Amino acid sequence: MKSYQTVERYCRRLAHLGHLQAIAGWDEAVMMPKGGAEMRGAALAELAGLRAEIFRKSEFSEALDQAESESAALNEWQKANLREARMHHRHMMAVDPKLFEEKARLTVICEQAWRELRAANNWKEFQPYLKRLLTLVQEEAKSRASASGLPVYDAMLEMYEPGLTTATVDRVFNQLKQVLPDLIERVIDRQKSRQVTHLGRTVPVDKQKPMMRDFMNWVGFNFDHGRLDESHHPFCGGVPDDVRLTTRYSESDFLSGLMGVLHETGHALYEQNLPKEWREQPIGQARGMAVHESQSLFVEMQIGRSREFWQYAAPILKRSLGESHDPHHFWDPENLFFEASRVEKSYIRVDADEVTYPAHVILRYEIEKALLLGDLAVEDLPVVWDEKMRAYLALSTLGNDANGCMQDVHWPAGLFGYFPSYTLGAIIAAQLFSTVEKDLGRPREMIARGEVAPIMSWLKEKVWSVGSHQTTEGLLKQATGRGLDIEPFLLHLETRYLMG
Amino acid sequence: MKSYQTVERYCRRLAHLGHLQAIAGWDEAVMMPKGGAEMRGAALAELAGLRAEIFRKSEFSEALDQAESESAALNEWQKANLREARMHHRHMMAVDPKLFEEKARLTVICEQAWRELRAANNWKEFQPYLKRLLTLVQEEAKSRASASGLPVYDAMLEMYEPGLTTATVDRVFNQLKQVLPDLIERVIDRQKSRQVTHLGRTVPVDKQKPMMRDFMNWVGFNFDHGRLDESHHPFCGGVPDDVRLTTRYSESDFLSGLMGVLHETGHALYEQNLPKEWREQPIGQARGMAVHESQSLFVEMQIGRSREFWQYAAPILKRSLGESHDPHHFWDPENLFFEASRVEKSYIRVDADEVTYPAHVILRYEIEKALLLGDLAVEDLPVVWDEKMRAYLALSTLGNDANGCMQDVHWPAGLFGYFPSYTLGAIIAAQLFSTVEKDLGRPREMIARGEVAPIMSWLKEKVWSVGSHQTTEGLLKQATGRGLDIEPFLLHLETRYLMG
């Protein structure tokens, strides 16, 4: 028991440093003037070094070993906490600190090159940067594989999705791939006959701000434990007790701003409702990136872009942002729903709708796996990207690498294994919603009436308050009665986009 | 040389942690929702613990010893840096970590009690809290005295004013005490005949904001390396590369808001212009609290509340905040100067004008010295406070402890030795300005024309870029040719308030 308590003490120290990292990181993105960057970088590097130092103390690893050998005395949550602590420890110890440092150094350089060279659509000059970084990431992946006993790509996937394997991802992505191209064509064809009215004027930011806060309150965001600010790239940062959302206001497009805020609020609700009594322990953290994304997509896609949401929201928005004289029926629920559910094939993942989005992700997943395993050379990236874009979305990116294989920051930032989370999140969100329909009766009618509290309570019980007590698969089984399942997602797409 | 480099490396690490402390502290005051307090407190305590750990590494103290024995090989700046590093190290090592912890714990309790009991004017219940804390501070002071070889109060003074002694403070404060009561009476008497017009309407915050920024730019604040935000208690925080000012906007009183912003900008200019090449070293830090306060008071009092400032600023303010039709001459330079230079005897230090302010400080200095040395019991504080207030400002505080000995947060926060800085700063500001008059010719005319850049350059050369290379006395001697001198301050008060 004493050893277990030592483990908890170490985890608590790491959580404190994580807190400072989160707040300084938020500040960097939201508040910091540009002249503060150099010293902030140095301070954050020091913090990362201190974290690594704490992980590497022999007292910590000895306590882990000892606590595991005495784990019979622990209760279920403590056991699971110990399992998570071990995983975090293994993640940190798997990689040589020199490789960490070298990767940190190279990613800064690679990201910088990416920013400039993407703007210039200059793949040729960017390629060697990515190549050097990839070599390092391959080395990292090998170290992680040998430390975890997992296959190479699985070892990277585990960083974001503990418990999800390449086999599972392959299974659901292959199912999707079979259905998606035809589905996309049918949806686009069907939407051709829609008559959509655009607002044709701007909405002042001053009017949007209270509206955004109202909808955040509506789904249950607690402003005593969080804030909404502005940043160039919207994100959800901070710590569970103090969640920092950001958005970017556009006077010409309040609707996608609102959808963005709902998305980030989904992330925030998860963080704010993690188990309070495990705040500073590994088990008190969110399960992984796919589950996290499922919560943001639950609020944005399952609720926010539903026909029923617009039945509830349209009159409210008309009152706060619109005018009573609306001859072109812009503020009609059906018109706003049309605006929020438009599907089109496009080059850019971050702008994609929920029907075409999986194609962007599957493409990246297949490519990054091949890159990592050495089955694809960096040189061939543009050609393969173009091939897959043509196959999945009938778009060519030849000569357009800025909007092709250079569009995302993930690879220049050294993130391999992250992309699947986005689509796994969409699948999980649909799977959860379909269970809500079984458990609560008619959630769609609740949404149309604006009564989402029971749905949120369900999420709190089944997902948020679970923290990392379960693996992703375990959480899904407990919440929905089965492991990761593509069917509810496909049904969701068909219902929303091909019916009604 | 290698040992010296080890010292620098340790100092750099401490600076990185200081950076995170500063930003998280700013965030706490300006951004953090109330629900974030508990975890923030834990994270900052962790950081304080890590700082103490780094200080206590034997490698650090051995490197200090070794570097001192080899200091002949160092240049002047390195030698001074080593001297400062030693002082910081001594400050940290002087006090038993358990005493530190106990003080941290008690001050939180004492501040909390103070907040509630001051609001209720309840000295009786507050007294035991202060008594317990004072016992601890006395112990701290004794430890510091024995570590530094200084007398007890001097050892506390050194924390804020390295190189300033009780003897010096006594000398200038006694000079002031002889002159002040009569001076205050004469000024108040003289101001009775003034005809002052008040604005009688509010000025929207939206109009004040750009105006504040304009004046910050005017004195040289660099917004690439800093920000202006809002907080309940205005302060200057952050780090030299990223200085975080705050203000509190009042629609009914833009003038004191502007003076407050100029004050904090004075602090900020000092920070922003500390020697860049010594950023993360002790010598690259501001000299001490008195010199810091001298910079804020230079900008607020020497420049901002001068008749000449209003000659420059009045037309600008009239254009941006006022109206061309101004029948009661509110926007006349002389009227605004009258508004900015009103003198009155009052209970509250933070609201006091520059003529009566020293009386508030001298009173606290005398009392805290007596408390610390055991010459005054906490029980007798209200009576002694009342006696001194009557003697210095002809006001009685009997039965009014909320506006008497309970008004400041300093003692409940465990800060003893800090109060003198305020008035020492005012004295230094006047001493520096009188030297500017000698060195630059006619700075008052420059201010009236709005050309303050040469004055700021002078400060940069003589004060800001010096960092902690000199002691306070050394800095003053180098800048003004003499040590701390009360005469320019007295002359300043007489010139501004009894002439013209």
Side-chain angles (χ1 to χ4, degrees):
Chain A
M1 202 59 185
K2 215 179 140 218
S3 302
Y4 173 76
Q5 278 156 0
T6 303
V7 171
E8 280 208 352
R9 185 160 51 78
Y10 269 89
C11 291
R12 207 172 296 123
R13 293 193 70 184
L14 291 164
H16 295 154
L17 300 189
H19 177 120
L20 297 165
Q21 250 168 339
I23 295 301
W26 171 86
D27 183 272
E28 190 171 337
V30 182
M31 293 290 156
M32 190 182 75
K34 63 180 181 190
E38 192 186 337
M39 291 296 153
R40 180 64 54 86
L44 285 174
E46 185 76 45
L47 205 51
L50 281 166
R51 257 178 75 86
E53 254 182 50
I54 291 175
F55 266 114
R56 277 163 206 291
K57 297 226 166 159
S58 55
E59 192 192 15
F60 190 13
S61 59
E62 284 160 19
L64 275 168
D65 292 344
Q66 185 69 23
E68 282 167 350
S69 75
E70 302 165 353
S71 69
L74 304 177
N75 68 33
E76 284 314 304
W77 279 78
Q78 289 170 329
K79 274 182 199 159
N81 190 43
L82 188 58
R83 177 199 70 211
E84 294 296 308
R86 167 61 78 188
M87 187 183 69
H88 288 221
H89 190 260
R90 173 163 55 72
H91 284 171
M92 178 58 80
M93 302 299 276
V95 183
D96 189 306
K98 281 195 190 117
L99 201 154
F100 261 133
E101 265 174 51
E102 180 63 7
K103 189 186 173 189
R105 208 182 59 78
L106 258 190
T107 51
V108 169
I109 294 169
C110 195
E111 271 191 63
Q112 212 161 5
W114 170 74
R115 239 172 284 276
E116 283 173 27
L117 296 169
R118 186 201 170 191
N121 190 34
N122 188 341
W123 163 257
K124 217 179 140 197
E125 275 191 50
F126 176 63
Q127 183 191 302
Y129 288 100
L130 186 59
K131 209 167 166 175
R132 271 168 64 203
L133 183 56
L134 177 63
T135 310
L136 220 58
V137 174
Q138 286 170 330
E139 214 181 306
E140 178 194 351
K142 265 178 217 147
S143 297
R144 294 197 181 284
S146 85
S148 62
L150 294 168
V152 166
Y153 187 82
D154 289 59
M156 294 303 275
L157 200 59
E158 198 210 25
M159 301 290 297
Y160 312 108
E161 280 325 310
L164 270 185
T165 62
T166 305
T168 307
V169 178
D170 278 338
R171 174 173 59 80
V172 294
F173 281 12
N174 281 332
Q175 283 177 277
L176 258 177
K177 265 174 79 172
Q178 284 172 12
V179 181
L180 213 54
D182 175 60
L183 183 74
I184 291 169
E185 293 305 327
R186 282 158 61 211
V187 171
I188 289 175
D189 196 53
R190 189 167 190 266
Q191 292 194 346
K192 276 182 187 150
S193 60
R194 282 180 170 183
Q195 294 277 357
V196 187
T197 299
H198 302 299
L199 183 54
R201 66 164 174 86
T202 60
V203 177
V205 172
D206 280 357
K207 283 195 156 190
Q208 292 188 39
K209 280 186 180 176
M211 178 274 286
M212 300 287 190
R213 290 175 65 97
D214 286 347
F215 279 101
M216 287 170 72
N217 274 317
W218 176 64
V219 290
F221 185 85
N222 181 349
F223 279 96
D224 280 348
H225 285 286
R227 298 177 47 95
L228 172 66
D229 293 277
E230 289 174 64
S231 72
H232 189 68
H233 296 287
F235 69 101
C236 173
V239 293
D241 271 350
D242 181 3
V243 177
R244 304 288 175 97
L245 291 201
T246 71
T247 186
R248 190 170 44 165
Y249 294 101
S250 160
E251 303 219 317
S252 61
D253 189 4
F254 77 87
L255 196 147
S256 56
L258 174 58
M259 291 300 106
V261 165
L262 286 179
H263 182 98
E264 300 306 334
T265 305
H267 284 304
L269 290 171
Y270 191 6
E271 290 289 319
Q272 286 190 332
N273 292 285
L274 286 164
K276 179 100 187 155
E277 59 279 27
W278 292 96
R279 263 296 180 265
E280 300 179 317
Q281 295 300 317
I283 202 181
Q285 296 174 27
R287 173 61 285 175
M289 293 319 298
V291 179
H292 230 306
E293 194 68 14
S294 81
Q295 297 311 290
S296 58
L297 293 175
F298 192 103
V299 177
E300 180 196 349
M301 296 296 177
Q302 297 297 319
I303 296 178
R305 292 189 193 263
S306 71
R307 196 167 239 122
E308 293 77 17
F309 172 78
W310 294 103
Q311 288 167 12
Y312 164 68
I316 294 171
L317 292 168
K318 188 176 180 182
R319 263 200 311 277
S320 63
L321 312 179
E323 49 278 293
S324 49
H325 183 64
D326 179 27
H328 302 295
H329 301 284
F330 172 78
W331 299 101
D332 280 7
E334 193 68 0
N335 186 60
L336 291 169
F337 170 66
F338 283 176
E339 284 264 39
S341 61
R342 187 171 36 244
V343 173
E344 54 195 345
K345 289 181 260 185
S346 66
Y347 292 103
I348 305 296
R349 176 185 58 84
V350 294
D351 297 335
D353 54 81
E354 66 173 329
V355 182
T356 58
Y357 204 108
H360 294 275
V361 167
I362 292 169
L363 171 153
R364 284 157 178 78
Y365 166 67
E366 292 172 341
I367 290 179
E368 72 176 9
K369 208 166 54 165
L371 283 170
L372 204 66
L373 300 175
D375 297 337
L376 173 66
V378 170
E379 289 85 340
D380 300 328
L381 190 43
V383 172
V384 175
W385 191 283
D386 174 67
E387 276 172 19
K388 287 186 184 282
M389 276 300 278
R390 282 190 285 118
Y392 302 162
L393 290 169
L395 294 168
S396 170
T397 58
L398 271 193
N400 186 8
D401 298 315
N403 294 326
C405 66
M406 286 176 80
Q407 70 182 263
D408 294 305
V409 72
H410 298 62
W411 295 337
L415 294 171
F416 286 75
Y418 189 103
F419 278 124
S421 312
Y422 296 114
T423 288
L424 296 174
I427 295 167
I428 294 170
Q431 188 173 340
L432 291 171
F433 194 87
S434 80
T435 312
V436 169
E437 287 185 313
K438 287 190 197 101
D439 287 2
L440 296 189
R442 303 178 177 280
R444 294 187 194 282
E445 292 177 17
M446 291 175 178
I447 295 168
R449 288 196 307 268
E451 293 161 10
V452 288
I455 303 174
M456 296 299 148
S457 296
W458 189 94
L459 286 175
K460 181 168 180 175
E461 184 196 332
K462 303 290 186 179
V463 180
W464 306 339
S465 66
V466 175
S468 287
H469 186 267
Q470 306 290 324
T471 61
T472 303
E473 284 278 293
L475 183 148
L476 277 176
K477 278 184 186 142
Q478 213 165 63
T480 72
R482 56 202 191 285
L484 189 70
D485 179 7
I486 190 78
E487 290 306 327
F489 181 59
L490 296 177
L491 190 64
H492 158 70
L493 295 183
E494 277 174 36
T495 310
R496 175 170 297 170
Y497 295 94
L498 294 172
M499 295 175 180
Chain B
M1 202 61 185
K2 216 180 138 220
S3 301
Y4 173 76
Q5 278 156 359
T6 303
V7 171
E8 280 208 353
R9 185 159 52 77
Y10 269 89
C11 291
R12 208 172 295 123
R13 295 193 69 184
L14 291 165
H16 294 154
L17 299 191
H19 177 119
L20 296 165
Q21 250 167 339
I23 296 301
W26 171 86
D27 184 272
E28 191 172 335
V30 182
M31 293 291 155
M32 190 182 76
K34 65 181 180 189
E38 191 186 339
M39 291 296 153
R40 181 65 51 87
L44 285 174
E46 185 75 47
L47 205 53
L50 280 166
R51 257 179 74 87
E53 255 182 48
I54 292 175
F55 266 115
R56 278 165 204 287
K57 295 225 167 162
S58 55
E59 192 192 15
F60 190 11
S61 60
E62 283 160 21
L64 274 168
D65 293 343
Q66 185 68 22
E68 282 168 349
S69 74
E70 302 165 353
S71 70
L74 303 177
N75 68 33
E76 285 313 304
W77 279 78
Q78 289 169 329
K79 274 181 200 159
N81 191 42
L82 189 58
R83 177 199 71 211
E84 294 296 310
R86 167 62 76 188
M87 187 182 70
H88 287 222
H89 191 261
R90 175 163 53 74
H91 283 172
M92 178 56 82
M93 302 299 277
V95 183
D96 188 307
K98 283 197 191 115
L99 201 154
F100 261 132
E101 265 174 52
E102 180 62 8
K103 189 185 172 189
R105 207 182 59 79
L106 258 190
T107 51
V108 168
I109 294 169
C110 194
E111 272 192 61
Q112 213 162 2
W114 170 74
R115 239 172 285 276
E116 282 172 28
L117 296 170
R118 186 201 169 191
N121 190 35
N122 188 342
W123 162 257
K124 214 177 146 202
E125 274 192 50
F126 175 63
Q127 183 192 302
Y129 288 100
L130 186 59
K131 208 167 170 178
R132 271 169 65 201
L133 182 57
L134 177 64
T135 310
L136 220 56
V137 175
Q138 285 170 330
E139 214 181 307
E140 177 193 352
K142 265 178 218 148
S143 297
R144 294 198 180 285
S146 86
S148 62
L150 293 169
V152 167
Y153 188 81
D154 290 59
M156 294 304 275
L157 201 58
E158 199 209 25
M159 301 291 296
Y160 313 108
E161 282 323 312
L164 270 184
T165 62
T166 305
T168 307
V169 178
D170 278 338
R171 174 172 59 79
V172 294
F173 280 12
N174 281 332
Q175 283 178 277
L176 258 177
K177 265 176 78 171
Q178 283 170 14
V179 182
L180 214 54
D182 175 59
L183 183 74
I184 292 169
E185 292 306 328
R186 281 157 62 212
V187 171
I188 289 176
D189 196 52
R190 189 168 191 266
Q191 292 195 347
K192 278 185 186 147
S193 60
R194 281 180 170 183
Q195 292 278 355
V196 187
T197 298
H198 302 298
L199 183 54
R201 66 164 174 84
T202 60
V203 177
V205 171
D206 280 358
K207 283 195 157 190
Q208 291 188 39
K209 280 187 178 176
M211 179 274 285
M212 300 287 190
R213 290 176 67 96
D214 287 347
F215 279 101
M216 288 170 71
N217 274 315
W218 176 64
V219 290
F221 185 85
N222 182 349
F223 279 96
D224 281 348
H225 285 285
R227 299 175 49 94
L228 172 66
D229 293 277
E230 290 173 63
S231 72
H232 190 68
H233 296 287
F235 70 101
C236 172
V239 294
D241 272 350
D242 182 1
V243 177
R244 305 289 175 95
L245 291 200
T246 70
T247 185
R248 189 170 45 165
Y249 295 100
S250 159
E251 302 220 315
S252 61
D253 189 4
F254 77 87
L255 196 148
S256 57
L258 173 58
M259 291 298 107
V261 165
L262 286 178
H263 182 97
E264 301 305 335
T265 306
H267 285 304
L269 291 170
Y270 191 8
E271 290 289 317
Q272 286 190 332
N273 292 286
L274 287 164
K276 179 101 188 155
E277 58 279 27
W278 292 96
R279 263 298 180 264
E280 300 180 318
Q281 295 300 317
I283 202 180
Q285 296 175 26
R287 174 61 286 177
M289 292 321 297
V291 179
H292 230 307
E293 194 67 14
S294 81
Q295 297 310 290
S296 59
L297 292 175
F298 192 104
V299 177
E300 180 196 348
M301 295 296 178
Q302 297 297 318
I303 296 178
R305 292 189 193 262
S306 71
R307 195 167 240 122
E308 295 77 17
F309 172 78
W310 294 103
Q311 287 166 15
Y312 164 69
I316 295 171
L317 291 169
K318 188 177 181 182
R319 264 200 311 278
S320 63
L321 310 180
E323 49 278 294
S324 48
H325 182 65
D326 181 25
H328 302 294
H329 301 282
F330 173 78
W331 299 100
D332 280 8
E334 193 69 1
N335 186 60
L336 290 170
F337 170 66
F338 283 175
E339 284 264 40
S341 61
R342 186 173 34 246
V343 173
E344 54 194 347
K345 290 181 261 185
S346 65
Y347 292 103
I348 305 296
R349 177 185 58 83
V350 293
D351 297 335
D353 55 82
E354 66 174 329
V355 181
T356 57
Y357 203 107
H360 293 275
V361 168
I362 292 169
L363 171 152
R364 283 157 179 76
Y365 166 67
E366 292 172 341
I367 289 178
E368 73 176 8
K369 210 167 52 165
L371 284 171
L372 204 67
L373 300 175
D375 297 337
L376 173 66
V378 170
E379 289 85 341
D380 300 328
L381 191 42
V383 172
V384 174
W385 190 283
D386 173 67
E387 276 172 19
K388 287 186 186 282
M389 276 299 278
R390 282 190 284 118
Y392 302 161
L393 289 170
L395 294 169
S396 169
T397 57
L398 271 193
N400 186 7
D401 298 314
N403 295 327
C405 66
M406 285 175 81
Q407 71 182 264
D408 295 304
V409 72
H410 298 62
W411 294 338
L415 293 172
F416 285 75
Y418 189 103
F419 278 123
S421 311
Y422 296 114
T423 288
L424 296 173
I427 295 167
I428 293 170
Q431 188 173 341
L432 291 170
F433 195 86
S434 80
T435 312
V436 169
E437 286 185 313
K438 288 189 195 102
D439 288 3
L440 296 188
R442 302 180 179 279
R444 293 186 194 284
E445 292 176 17
M446 291 175 178
I447 295 168
R449 288 197 306 270
E451 294 162 10
V452 287
I455 303 173
M456 296 300 148
S457 295
W458 189 94
L459 286 175
K460 183 171 180 173
E461 184 197 331
K462 304 290 186 181
V463 181
W464 304 339
S465 66
V466 176
S468 288
H469 186 266
Q470 307 288 326
T471 61
T472 303
E473 283 280 292
L475 183 147
L476 277 175
K477 278 184 185 141
Q478 213 166 63
T480 71
R482 57 202 190 287
L484 188 69
D485 179 8
I486 191 80
E487 290 306 327
F489 181 59
L490 295 177
L491 190 63
H492 159 71
L493 294 183
E494 276 174 35
T495 310
R496 175 169 295 168
Y497 294 93
L498 295 172
M499 297 175 181

